[in-house]
Amino acid sequence: MSVIKQPSRRAFLRGSAAVAAGAAGPVAAADSARRPDPLITELQDWTSYTGAGVDETPYGLPIPFESDVIRRNVEWLTASPIASVNFTPLHALDGTITPQGCAFERHHSGAIMLRKEDYRLMINGLVDRPLVFTYEDIERFPRENHVYFCECAANTGMEWAGAQLNGVQFTHGMIHNMEYTGVPLRLLLREAGARTDDNLWLYAEGADASSNGRSIPMAKAVDDCLVAFKANGEALRMEHGYPVRLVVPGWEGNMWVKWLRRIEIVDTAVESREETSKYTDVYEDGIARKWTWVMDAKSVITSPSPQRPVRHGPGPMVISGLAWSGHGRIARVDVSGDGGITWQTARLGKQGDTKALTRFYLDTVWDGAPMLLQARAIDETGYVQPAKDRLREKRGKNAVYHNNCIQTWYLNSDGLAENVEVS
Ligand code: MTE
Ligand code: CO
């Protein structure tokens, strides 16, 4: 088993020499490093004709060479694509922002097409003035921009039983991270003269057939929830709740009600289907853990990973991944190459935002030996992401949701990675 080493200065010099020699492949492919490259020394085809005109792509799409960077579903997971999920291709992305076009979708009764003109949001219940807002009404309130992750409580759920799905897209891809533009929910509640005492709740529901109703404690509602209408600068996509969705930062994705239709102020939780028989963890003794809203700190290596094998030989290698916490900022991420025996602190791509994905990198030198790759996140509260066995000890074997355990990839000497468990 290989322990992770820091790259030496010499290794970097070797790497840059490879670039200077024009290697087509990754920097450290020592055998091919000094081969003259016809793609740089001969006339290149694409210099002999003109390219696409600006009128050809009024709305840009990824270049066809990137056509495998797409959401994928796992057919046997659900009975119908209407009540199903597809997964974000985490292995193929970098940075932290998820483009809407490849951000996972999770619907209980399909994605609906709702025109802005037909959109209405009702606020009723314990309020002075029950109100109905149009889309244009919402746009007239002061708005804010925030980047947040949205993680389905079922993310990594298949992995409780053992290492199941061979790819980070499938094990961890029920998450996306976008910059939302929206109106703080508290402003709309104030407009309706809602009572906002701490012991009150609101019940939020969507306009789709499932309605996906959820009870949210008032303290959270007036803290940082957003009534959002833009993501990454543009209108929400249909599948993410166009024209308006609720953003509930750091809390399980199911509470992020799409096509938000109604908010009722109530004095007790409704205990709807989505918060009782679903999205609830049942312990070994059959007792259910009531209300698990916050998504605990979690991380995963996105590269190398089963869908992202190492294509170069021994030498400089970038290990990269994502970390997040529903409790706030990521303070530190550690990476192990020996299944959690030794750890090294990774470098953060940039200081993490609160309740948002944080990118980490470990710039290392691979000696070509197999590795058991793991990452563990530590958030600003000091919470440390647990090993799988530890989590199982606490939650038992009936668990489905809220699996934030440490993930292991076995990297073999050919550079191929596989989903495994260590204990
Ligand atoms: N809201 C409505 N109205 N209908 C739904 O089916 N699915 C929920 C939530 N909000 C859902 C909904 C679930 S389980 C999750 S994880 C998130 O939306 C997923 O959001 P996304 O499809 O934008 O990824
Ligand atoms: Co969900």
Side-chain angles (χ1 to χ4, degrees):
M1 205 47 54
S2 151
V3 172
I4 290 175
K5 299 188 203 85
Q6 284 299 329
S8 67
R9 204 176 119 73
R10 270 192 63 183
F12 269 126
L13 290 179
R14 257 189 288 129
S16 42
V19 170
V27 286
D31 44 349
S32 63
R34 286 180 177 56
R35 181 165 44 84
D37 188 338
L39 287 182
I40 197 72
T41 56
E42 293 180 0
L43 183 65
Q44 295 156 12
D45 178 46
W46 43 88
T47 61
S48 62
Y49 50 83
T50 54
V54 294
D55 52 348
E56 285 180 32
T57 44
Y59 191 92
L61 288 173
I63 197 162
F65 312 131
E66 298 292 319
S67 60
D68 62 331
V69 184
I70 50 171
R71 301 187 274 233
R72 291 184 177 83
N73 57 359
V74 175
E75 263 173 41
W76 54 264
L77 266 184
T78 51
S80 147
I82 302 299
S84 191
V85 59
N86 57 27
F87 300 86
T88 309
L90 294 178
H91 61 289
L93 302 176
D94 212 319
T96 57
I97 296 293
T98 318
Q100 286 201 73
C102 64
F104 88 96
E105 312 167 50
R106 169 83 178 101
H107 319 298
H108 294 83
S109 52
I112 56 168
M113 205 176 269
L114 180 55
R115 296 184 336 155
K116 276 182 190 161
E117 296 75 11
D118 297 334
Y119 177 78
R120 296 290 183 275
L121 169 63
M122 177 161 120
I123 300 188
N124 69 326
L126 300 171
V127 299
D128 293 339
R129 306 174 283 285
L131 286 179
V132 175
F133 299 81
T134 65
Y135 181 85
E136 287 184 345
D137 291 338
I138 293 171
E139 275 190 323
R140 294 175 63 188
F141 287 84
R143 69 189 78 147
E144 296 180 3
N145 297 302
H146 297 275
V147 177
Y148 292 123
F149 76 80
C150 169
E151 182 183 21
C152 182
N155 199 22
T156 323
M158 292 305 296
E159 304 298 306
W160 279 108
Q164 295 261 349
L165 297 170
N166 214 23
V168 70
Q169 177 165 22
F170 306 110
T171 55
H172 291 74
M174 287 168 84
I175 190 163
H176 50 61
N177 191 65
M178 306 196 203
E179 185 198 54
Y180 293 97
T181 303
V183 174
L185 176 55
R186 84 181 82 84
L187 299 185
L188 301 185
L189 296 179
R190 190 184 300 159
E191 188 71 13
R195 279 180 47 200
T196 53
D197 319 45
D198 261 3
N199 60 333
L200 297 180
W201 296 72
L202 51 81
Y203 185 67
E205 62 182 22
D208 54 329
S210 79
S211 89
N212 195 74
R214 287 295 305 248
S215 311
I216 300 173
M218 186 57 77
K220 177 67 176 174
V222 298
D223 175 18
D224 57 1
C225 289
L226 283 180
V227 174
F229 43 88
K230 294 271 158 79
N232 301 339
E234 61 181 358
L236 286 164
R237 295 280 166 87
M238 171 182 75
E239 58 270 36
H240 301 303
Y242 180 96
V244 175
R245 94 173 299 168
L246 191 62
V247 167
V248 189
W251 289 27
E252 61 183 5
N254 186 260
M255 303 176 94
W256 294 47
V257 176
K258 301 191 274 193
W259 314 289
L260 181 65
R261 168 177 70 180
R262 192 172 73 93
I263 289 173
E264 182 175 349
I265 316 303
V266 287
D267 58 10
T268 178
V270 168
E271 307 205 352
S272 71
R273 170 189 182 272
E274 307 299 332
E275 53 201 16
T276 51
S277 87
K278 305 293 169 197
Y279 302 101
T280 295
D281 303 314
V282 181
Y283 288 121
E284 203 74 3
D285 58 5
I287 303 284
R289 179 160 90 146
K290 197 170 183 182
W291 316 132
T292 306
W293 297 312
V294 183
M295 300 306 289
D296 284 331
K298 185 165 167 180
S299 67
V300 70
I301 292 174
T302 54
S303 172
S305 65
Q307 297 160 289
R308 215 35 218 288
V310 180
R311 298 201 190 281
H312 57 73
M317 176 168 80
V318 176
I319 298 172
S320 179
L322 292 165
W324 60 95
S325 168
H327 292 279
R329 289 188 167 74
I330 287 296
R332 197 177 97 204
V333 183
D334 296 333
V335 173
S336 176
D338 53 17
I341 300 165
T342 61
W343 294 92
Q344 275 198 29
T345 299
R347 172 172 66 86
L348 304 186
K350 71 175 175 70
Q351 211 46 49
D353 292 325
T354 188
K355 303 167 190 173
L357 292 190
T358 298
R359 171 66 60 179
F360 66 86
Y361 300 101
L362 189 74
D363 308 297
T364 184
V365 175
W366 186 39
D367 60 10
M371 299 176 97
L372 285 168
L373 286 169
Q374 297 185 336
R376 78 175 170 204
I378 299 150
D379 70 18
E380 63 178 332
T381 70
Y383 173 94
V384 183
Q385 183 184 357
K388 206 165 183 177
D389 283 346
R390 276 221 41 166
L391 206 59
R392 282 199 189 114
E393 277 164 31
K394 290 223 147 191
R395 304 263 194 87
K397 296 195 196 80
N398 296 328
V400 176
Y401 304 108
H402 309 104
N403 182 353
N404 69 320
C405 74
I406 291 174
Q407 170 68 40
T408 313
W409 306 126
Y410 173 70
L411 180 71
N412 72 17
S413 50
D414 293 330
L416 302 176
E418 199 186 328
N419 183 4
V420 297
E421 265 187 24
V422 292
S423 50

